Amino acid sequence: DVLLQEVHHRVKNNMAIIASFLDLQSLQLDDDILVNMLQETRQRIRVMALVHEKLYQSNNLREIYLESYISKLVRDLVSINNKNDLLIDLQFDFDEIFLGMSTLIPVGLIVNELVTNVVKHAFDSIEHPVLSVKCKQIENNCILLIIKDNGIGAVKGKDDFQKSLGIQIVEALVKQLHGEIEINSDQGTEVRIEFLKKG
């Protein structure tokens, strides 16, 4: 157990070093598009590093309490990407679910892409922005993840949203989880992802 904790600690530290390299590299660039791409890559690395950090801090080296991981991740993403200092009402509703690393990393990366998109693009001209994240255990050992906002989200430029790199990454990760994704944009945007719980 001590050895595994040390491995997780070192992996987390190595990922932090890589993220720092990307920070330094972005300081050398004048192209805002390239800087943004490096920042997005850095954030994806930090999503994975957070899994190793949680495992290092936990007494359970096989699984992590999902709400603890996702709620911290979402709050970090809002803090990083909320350039207009919006007062976003964050709402969490989780069943007691524990996931292993092989499932948790793709789930974390999915949340990263969707929440980042919401904070950056969904709340223009929205007086009381709300972002909710739900995760429910459903029948047949499946998990339902719902990320919903009350903003403009995918309503404007829906085709561009569905063709974006972020949503392509999400769809690839959902496929990796052998899951299904549904995007509704009638009132705000709601993304529903159902996937099988595994180790």
Side-chain angles (χ1 to χ4, degrees):
D1 286 353
V2 173
L3 177 60
L4 285 174
Q5 280 187 314
E6 184 63 21
V7 168
H8 286 303
H9 183 59
R10 290 181 182 235
V11 170
K12 185 265 294 183
N13 286 346
N14 288 339
M15 287 184 166
I17 291 171
I18 294 170
S20 296
F21 285 154
L22 293 175
D23 280 337
L24 292 172
Q25 187 70 59
S26 66
L27 295 175
Q28 307 297 316
L29 299 173
D30 295 325
D31 188 322
D32 290 341
I33 294 176
L34 290 177
V35 169
N36 188 58
M37 290 172 63
L38 286 178
Q39 289 175 342
E40 289 176 351
T41 300
R42 177 194 62 190
Q43 182 56 41
R44 291 172 186 130
I45 292 169
R46 287 177 173 163
V47 169
M48 294 184 284
L50 182 58
V51 173
H52 291 280
E53 180 181 329
K54 287 287 184 183
L55 285 169
Y56 170 68
Q57 295 171 346
S58 174
N59 292 326
N60 182 350
L61 295 175
R62 293 183 61 252
E63 295 182 319
I64 296 175
Y65 183 39
L66 185 61
E67 182 174 12
S68 172
Y69 171 67
I70 295 297
S71 61
K72 174 172 173 47
L73 176 58
V74 169
R75 289 188 174 94
D76 288 349
L77 290 170
V78 170
S79 176
I80 291 167
N81 295 292
N82 188 6
K83 305 301 183 183
N84 296 322
D85 296 324
L86 300 172
L87 295 177
I88 301 174
D89 180 9
L90 297 178
Q91 301 176 354
F92 298 100
D93 182 8
F94 281 72
D95 286 346
E96 188 172 345
I97 299 170
F98 291 81
L99 294 179
M101 187 167 63
S102 63
T103 303
L104 202 61
I105 286 179
V107 169
L109 289 168
I110 288 169
V111 171
N112 173 70
E113 299 301 326
L114 295 175
V115 170
T116 297
N117 183 71
V118 169
V119 177
K120 284 185 173 181
H121 305 296
F123 294 134
D124 290 345
S125 305
I126 301 299
E127 189 173 352
H128 300 294
V130 178
L131 171 61
S132 70
V133 182
K134 296 182 180 180
C135 208
K136 296 294 179 179
Q137 182 87 46
I138 56 179
E139 60 184 9
N140 299 324
N141 204 33
C142 287
I143 294 172
L144 177 63
L145 171 67
I146 304 172
I147 298 178
K148 180 175 175 57
D149 66 74
N150 67 337
I152 58 172
V155 176
K156 289 187 178 180
K158 185 175 181 181
D159 290 340
D160 291 338
F161 172 73
Q162 292 180 335
K163 293 175 184 176
S164 69
L165 175 62
I167 201 65
Q168 290 179 46
I169 290 173
V170 169
E171 289 174 342
L173 290 166
V174 170
K175 187 175 181 180
Q176 179 182 328
L177 291 169
H178 304 289
E180 297 180 354
I181 181 171
E182 178 183 347
I183 301 173
N184 302 311
S185 54
D186 295 331
Q187 295 179 336
T189 301
E190 180 185 70
V191 180
R192 302 170 66 92
I193 297 170
E194 186 177 323
F195 60 94
L196 185 68
K197 180 181 178 181
K198 58 181 181 178

